[in-house]
Amino acid sequence: MAAGRDVSGGLEPVAVALWPPGESPAPFQVGGAAIGSASAGRRNAVFGSAEIARSPAGASASPSRASAVLPTRAAVRIARYSPDCVPGADGAIDPTEVTFQGCPCRVRSCTAPSCPCVRLGRRGRVPHCAAPLLECNAMCRCGDGCQNRVVQRGLQVRLQVFKTAKKGWGVRALEAVAEGSFVCEYAGEVLGFAEARRRSRAQAAQDPNYIIAVREHLHDGRLMETFVDPTYIGNVGRFLNHSCEPNLVMVPVRVDSMVPRLALFAAADISAGEELCYDYSGRFRNLPPTEGEQKASEEGSVLRKPCFCGSQTCAAFLPWDGSLFPAADTHSQSSP
């Protein structure tokens, strides 16, 4: 299985291979050089006290609860590869801003319970629970080698974007990955609700949708929403396919601010050559769907796209959550 050229254009710490030779996803630009794009669908997911969702049309998530929406499996044009999230075209949210205070730990690597970041992050729960995590940040006194700095180091696993038999383009591991290991991030533009809704409503039924929405229900009753769209700027995460029995779990990880990074961890030991997938519904190792989400799923069945994951528990259709972008302007939110 040859490695192929680097889909990331040298922007990742580890090259992202492409297979087969001579083929690539629909063109996208990286530093002015066309190298290829991916497919989409919509996803949903709930993280402990957070929800996340992706369905063939839209979604949401939260650190008390979270939900996320991702793309349909169809080719799209991406303007630029970026290993990290970037401010959206609407300028509503800046994911690069540092707003968290750092821990006072003057050590090479932080430990619990002395470090507030480690104590609040509770990383030991991954991958058995999709609850949000907190990493040490740029303001922390600990060293760069701190064990609580994982997602911020970027891609460390050799991955390959490849052509599947029925699902368009997908991603597979080129090396064995241990359960609980960080695999990759789902990066793109971080949008405000108005722009995310505008882009979603502008899409035709056959158009790919890459928007992922993270809806978080905070302990004080507030609802915090984060929308990430890799349609124009994105990374290898947008090529990941859905599976009803996934080997990845998505977890919102906070580093420098309240804007979460959507990190994908190995939910089990993964073999070299195995395709990497996660549950677009966001319910894998997460909270069950709400009554409203379940009703929307049933009502939207005629619009749902077939699922080709091939698992024994396959639901036959990709997840769908039509409640995430309601027609009525009843939306109330708190920005990160």
Short mmCIF file of all heavy atoms in Angstrom, two decimals, residues 138-176:
data_model
loop_
_atom_site.label_atom_id
_atom_site.label_comp_id
_atom_site.label_asym_id
_atom_site.label_seq_id
_atom_site.Cartn_x
_atom_site.Cartn_y
_atom_site.Cartn_z
N ALA A 138 -1.37 27.85 26.29
CA ALA A 138 -0.22 28.71 26.05
C ALA A 138 0.19 29.51 27.28
O ALA A 138 1.34 29.96 27.38
CB ALA A 138 -0.52 29.66 24.89
N MET A 139 -0.72 29.72 28.21
CA MET A 139 -0.44 30.51 29.40
C MET A 139 0.01 29.66 30.58
O MET A 139 0.38 30.18 31.62
CB MET A 139 -1.69 31.31 29.80
CG MET A 139 -2.22 32.22 28.70
SD MET A 139 -0.98 33.42 28.15
CE MET A 139 -0.85 34.45 29.63
N CYS A 140 -0.03 28.34 30.43
CA CYS A 140 0.37 27.45 31.53
C CYS A 140 1.88 27.48 31.74
O CYS A 140 2.65 27.67 30.80
CB CYS A 140 -0.10 26.01 31.24
SG CYS A 140 -1.89 25.80 31.29
N ARG A 141 2.31 27.24 32.98
CA ARG A 141 3.74 27.27 33.32
C ARG A 141 4.44 25.94 33.04
O ARG A 141 5.66 25.86 33.11
CB ARG A 141 3.90 27.62 34.81
CG ARG A 141 3.34 28.99 35.21
CD ARG A 141 4.13 30.11 34.55
NE ARG A 141 3.69 31.41 35.01
CZ ARG A 141 4.20 32.03 36.07
NH1 ARG A 141 5.13 31.45 36.81
NH2 ARG A 141 3.77 33.23 36.41
N CYS A 142 3.70 24.89 32.76
CA CYS A 142 4.29 23.58 32.52
C CYS A 142 5.01 23.55 31.17
O CYS A 142 4.83 24.44 30.33
CB CYS A 142 3.22 22.49 32.56
SG CYS A 142 1.88 22.74 31.39
N GLY A 143 5.83 22.52 30.96
CA GLY A 143 6.60 22.42 29.74
C GLY A 143 5.81 21.93 28.54
O GLY A 143 4.70 21.43 28.67
N ASP A 144 6.43 22.06 27.36
CA ASP A 144 5.78 21.62 26.12
C ASP A 144 5.58 20.11 26.10
O ASP A 144 4.74 19.61 25.36
CB ASP A 144 6.63 22.04 24.92
CG ASP A 144 6.64 23.55 24.70
OD1 ASP A 144 5.72 24.21 25.20
OD2 ASP A 144 7.58 24.05 24.05
N GLY A 145 6.35 19.39 26.91
CA GLY A 145 6.21 17.94 26.95
C GLY A 145 5.18 17.45 27.92
O GLY A 145 5.07 16.23 28.16
N CYS A 146 4.38 18.34 28.48
CA CYS A 146 3.35 17.96 29.45
C CYS A 146 2.40 16.92 28.86
O CYS A 146 1.95 17.05 27.71
CB CYS A 146 2.57 19.20 29.89
SG CYS A 146 1.20 18.85 31.02
N GLN A 147 2.06 15.92 29.65
CA GLN A 147 1.17 14.85 29.20
C GLN A 147 -0.24 15.36 28.92
O GLN A 147 -1.03 14.67 28.27
CB GLN A 147 1.11 13.76 30.26
CG GLN A 147 0.50 14.22 31.58
CD GLN A 147 0.39 13.12 32.61
OE1 GLN A 147 0.64 11.96 32.30
NE2 GLN A 147 0.02 13.46 33.83
N ASN A 148 -0.56 16.56 29.40
CA ASN A 148 -1.89 17.13 29.17
C ASN A 148 -1.89 18.04 27.95
O ASN A 148 -2.74 18.91 27.81
CB ASN A 148 -2.38 17.88 30.40
CG ASN A 148 -3.88 18.13 30.36
OD1 ASN A 148 -4.64 17.28 29.91
ND2 ASN A 148 -4.31 19.30 30.83
N ARG A 149 -0.92 17.88 27.06
CA ARG A 149 -0.88 18.58 25.78
C ARG A 149 -0.87 17.51 24.69
O ARG A 149 0.16 16.93 24.39
CB ARG A 149 0.36 19.47 25.68
CG ARG A 149 0.45 20.57 26.73
CD ARG A 149 1.73 21.37 26.54
NE ARG A 149 1.93 22.36 27.59
CZ ARG A 149 1.48 23.62 27.55
NH1 ARG A 149 0.80 24.03 26.50
NH2 ARG A 149 1.71 24.45 28.55
N VAL A 150 -2.02 17.21 24.13
CA VAL A 150 -2.14 16.12 23.16
C VAL A 150 -2.71 16.62 21.83
O VAL A 150 -2.02 16.60 20.80
CB VAL A 150 -3.03 14.98 23.71
CG1 VAL A 150 -3.20 13.88 22.67
CG2 VAL A 150 -2.43 14.41 24.99
N VAL A 151 -3.96 17.08 21.84
CA VAL A 151 -4.62 17.52 20.61
C VAL A 151 -3.88 18.70 19.99
O VAL A 151 -3.76 18.81 18.77
CB VAL A 151 -6.09 17.88 20.91
CG1 VAL A 151 -6.77 18.45 19.67
CG2 VAL A 151 -6.84 16.64 21.40
N GLN A 152 -3.37 19.60 20.83
CA GLN A 152 -2.70 20.80 20.34
C GLN A 152 -1.41 20.49 19.58
O GLN A 152 -0.90 21.33 18.84
CB GLN A 152 -2.38 21.75 21.50
CG GLN A 152 -1.47 21.18 22.54
CD GLN A 152 -1.45 22.00 23.82
OE1 GLN A 152 -0.65 22.90 23.98
NE2 GLN A 152 -2.35 21.67 24.75
N ARG A 153 -0.87 19.27 19.74
CA ARG A 153 0.35 18.89 19.02
C ARG A 153 0.05 18.49 17.58
O ARG A 153 0.96 18.31 16.78
CB ARG A 153 1.04 17.74 19.74
CG ARG A 153 1.64 18.14 21.08
CD ARG A 153 2.25 16.95 21.78
NE ARG A 153 2.75 17.30 23.10
CZ ARG A 153 2.86 16.47 24.12
NH1 ARG A 153 2.49 15.20 23.95
NH2 ARG A 153 3.33 16.86 25.28
N GLY A 154 -1.21 18.31 17.26
CA GLY A 154 -1.59 17.99 15.89
C GLY A 154 -1.49 16.52 15.55
O GLY A 154 -1.31 15.65 16.40
N LEU A 155 -1.60 16.24 14.26
CA LEU A 155 -1.62 14.87 13.76
C LEU A 155 -0.30 14.15 14.04
O LEU A 155 0.77 14.64 13.69
CB LEU A 155 -1.89 14.90 12.25
CG LEU A 155 -2.07 13.55 11.55
CD1 LEU A 155 -3.34 12.86 12.02
CD2 LEU A 155 -2.12 13.77 10.03
N GLN A 156 -0.38 12.98 14.66
CA GLN A 156 0.80 12.17 14.96
C GLN A 156 0.69 10.76 14.38
O GLN A 156 1.63 9.98 14.48
CB GLN A 156 1.00 12.08 16.49
CG GLN A 156 1.15 13.42 17.18
CD GLN A 156 2.40 14.17 16.76
OE1 GLN A 156 3.46 13.57 16.60
NE2 GLN A 156 2.29 15.48 16.58
N VAL A 157 -0.47 10.43 13.81
CA VAL A 157 -0.72 9.10 13.25
C VAL A 157 -0.68 9.17 11.73
O VAL A 157 -1.22 10.09 11.12
CB VAL A 157 -2.10 8.57 13.71
CG1 VAL A 157 -2.38 7.21 13.10
CG2 VAL A 157 -2.17 8.51 15.22
N ARG A 158 -0.03 8.20 11.09
CA ARG A 158 0.03 8.17 9.63
C ARG A 158 -1.33 7.73 9.07
O ARG A 158 -1.79 6.62 9.35
CB ARG A 158 1.14 7.23 9.16
CG ARG A 158 2.54 7.74 9.47
CD ARG A 158 3.63 6.90 8.80
NE ARG A 158 3.58 5.51 9.24
CZ ARG A 158 3.37 4.49 8.44
NH1 ARG A 158 3.14 4.68 7.14
NH2 ARG A 158 3.35 3.25 8.90
N LEU A 159 -1.94 8.62 8.30
CA LEU A 159 -3.26 8.38 7.72
C LEU A 159 -3.19 8.42 6.21
O LEU A 159 -2.26 8.98 5.62
CB LEU A 159 -4.26 9.43 8.22
CG LEU A 159 -4.43 9.59 9.72
CD1 LEU A 159 -5.43 10.70 10.02
CD2 LEU A 159 -4.87 8.28 10.36
N GLN A 160 -4.22 7.85 5.58
CA GLN A 160 -4.31 7.86 4.12
C GLN A 160 -5.74 8.13 3.69
O GLN A 160 -6.68 7.47 4.15
CB GLN A 160 -3.84 6.52 3.56
CG GLN A 160 -3.85 6.45 2.04
CD GLN A 160 -3.42 5.07 1.55
OE1 GLN A 160 -4.17 4.10 1.64
NE2 GLN A 160 -2.19 4.97 1.05
N VAL A 161 -5.92 9.10 2.81
CA VAL A 161 -7.22 9.35 2.17
C VAL A 161 -7.29 8.40 0.99
O VAL A 161 -6.37 8.37 0.15
CB VAL A 161 -7.33 10.81 1.71
CG1 VAL A 161 -8.64 11.02 0.93
CG2 VAL A 161 -7.26 11.76 2.89
N PHE A 162 -8.33 7.57 0.91
CA PHE A 162 -8.40 6.55 -0.14
C PHE A 162 -9.79 6.43 -0.74
O PHE A 162 -10.79 6.84 -0.13
CB PHE A 162 -7.94 5.18 0.40
CG PHE A 162 -8.97 4.51 1.30
CD1 PHE A 162 -9.72 3.43 0.84
CD2 PHE A 162 -9.20 4.97 2.59
CE1 PHE A 162 -10.67 2.81 1.65
CE2 PHE A 162 -10.14 4.35 3.41
CZ PHE A 162 -10.88 3.27 2.94
N LYS A 163 -9.85 5.87 -1.93
CA LYS A 163 -11.12 5.68 -2.65
C LYS A 163 -11.77 4.39 -2.17
O LYS A 163 -11.19 3.31 -2.28
CB LYS A 163 -10.85 5.61 -4.15
CG LYS A 163 -12.10 5.65 -5.02
CD LYS A 163 -12.75 7.02 -4.98
CE LYS A 163 -13.85 7.15 -6.01
NZ LYS A 163 -13.32 7.15 -7.39
N THR A 164 -12.99 4.51 -1.62
CA THR A 164 -13.72 3.33 -1.15
C THR A 164 -14.59 2.76 -2.27
O THR A 164 -14.79 3.40 -3.31
CB THR A 164 -14.63 3.68 0.04
OG1 THR A 164 -15.71 4.51 -0.42
CG2 THR A 164 -13.85 4.42 1.13
N ALA A 165 -15.15 1.58 -2.05
CA ALA A 165 -15.97 0.92 -3.07
C ALA A 165 -17.32 1.60 -3.26
O ALA A 165 -17.79 1.76 -4.38
CB ALA A 165 -16.16 -0.54 -2.71
N LYS A 166 -17.97 2.02 -2.15
CA LYS A 166 -19.33 2.58 -2.24
C LYS A 166 -19.49 3.95 -1.59
O LYS A 166 -20.49 4.62 -1.82
CB LYS A 166 -20.32 1.62 -1.56
CG LYS A 166 -20.49 0.28 -2.25
CD LYS A 166 -21.55 -0.54 -1.52
CE LYS A 166 -21.78 -1.88 -2.20
NZ LYS A 166 -22.83 -2.67 -1.49
N LYS A 167 -18.53 4.35 -0.76
CA LYS A 167 -18.72 5.55 0.06
C LYS A 167 -17.90 6.75 -0.39
O LYS A 167 -17.71 7.70 0.36
CB LYS A 167 -18.37 5.22 1.52
CG LYS A 167 -19.23 4.13 2.13
CD LYS A 167 -18.80 3.78 3.54
CE LYS A 167 -17.48 3.07 3.58
NZ LYS A 167 -17.11 2.63 4.95
N GLY A 168 -17.43 6.74 -1.61
CA GLY A 168 -16.60 7.85 -2.07
C GLY A 168 -15.23 7.76 -1.42
O GLY A 168 -14.63 6.70 -1.32
N TRP A 169 -14.73 8.89 -0.95
CA TRP A 169 -13.42 8.93 -0.31
C TRP A 169 -13.55 8.70 1.18
O TRP A 169 -14.53 9.09 1.80
CB TRP A 169 -12.73 10.25 -0.60
CG TRP A 169 -12.38 10.41 -2.04
CD1 TRP A 169 -13.17 10.97 -3.01
CD2 TRP A 169 -11.20 9.95 -2.69
NE1 TRP A 169 -12.55 10.89 -4.23
CE2 TRP A 169 -11.33 10.27 -4.07
CE3 TRP A 169 -10.04 9.31 -2.26
CZ2 TRP A 169 -10.35 9.97 -5.00
CZ3 TRP A 169 -9.06 9.01 -3.18
CH2 TRP A 169 -9.21 9.34 -4.54
N GLY A 170 -12.55 8.04 1.75
CA GLY A 170 -12.54 7.78 3.18
C GLY A 170 -11.12 7.93 3.72
O GLY A 170 -10.21 8.35 3.00
N VAL A 171 -10.94 7.58 4.98
CA VAL A 171 -9.63 7.68 5.63
C VAL A 171 -9.32 6.36 6.32
O VAL A 171 -10.19 5.77 6.95
CB VAL A 171 -9.60 8.82 6.68
CG1 VAL A 171 -8.23 8.91 7.34
CG2 VAL A 171 -9.98 10.16 6.05
N ARG A 172 -8.08 5.90 6.20
CA ARG A 172 -7.66 4.69 6.91
C ARG A 172 -6.31 4.93 7.59
O ARG A 172 -5.55 5.82 7.21
CB ARG A 172 -7.58 3.48 5.99
CG ARG A 172 -6.60 3.58 4.84
CD ARG A 172 -6.77 2.38 3.93
NE ARG A 172 -6.09 2.56 2.65
CZ ARG A 172 -6.38 1.86 1.55
NH1 ARG A 172 -7.35 0.95 1.57
NH2 ARG A 172 -5.72 2.06 0.42
N ALA A 173 -6.05 4.12 8.60
CA ALA A 173 -4.79 4.22 9.33
C ALA A 173 -3.72 3.42 8.59
O ALA A 173 -3.98 2.34 8.09
CB ALA A 173 -4.97 3.66 10.74
N LEU A 174 -2.51 3.98 8.54
CA LEU A 174 -1.39 3.29 7.92
C LEU A 174 -0.51 2.64 8.98
O LEU A 174 0.54 2.08 8.66
CB LEU A 174 -0.56 4.26 7.07
CG LEU A 174 -1.24 4.77 5.79
CD1 LEU A 174 -0.30 5.67 5.02
CD2 LEU A 174 -1.71 3.61 4.91
N GLU A 175 -0.92 2.72 10.22
CA GLU A 175 -0.20 2.09 11.33
C GLU A 175 -1.21 1.71 12.40
O GLU A 175 -2.34 2.22 12.42
CB GLU A 175 0.84 3.05 11.92
CG GLU A 175 0.25 4.32 12.49
CD GLU A 175 1.31 5.27 13.02
OE1 GLU A 175 1.75 5.06 14.17
OE2 GLU A 175 1.71 6.20 12.28
N ALA A 176 -0.83 0.81 13.28
CA ALA A 176 -1.72 0.42 14.37
C ALA A 176 -1.92 1.59 15.32
O ALA A 176 -0.99 2.35 15.60
CB ALA A 176 -1.12 -0.77 15.12
#
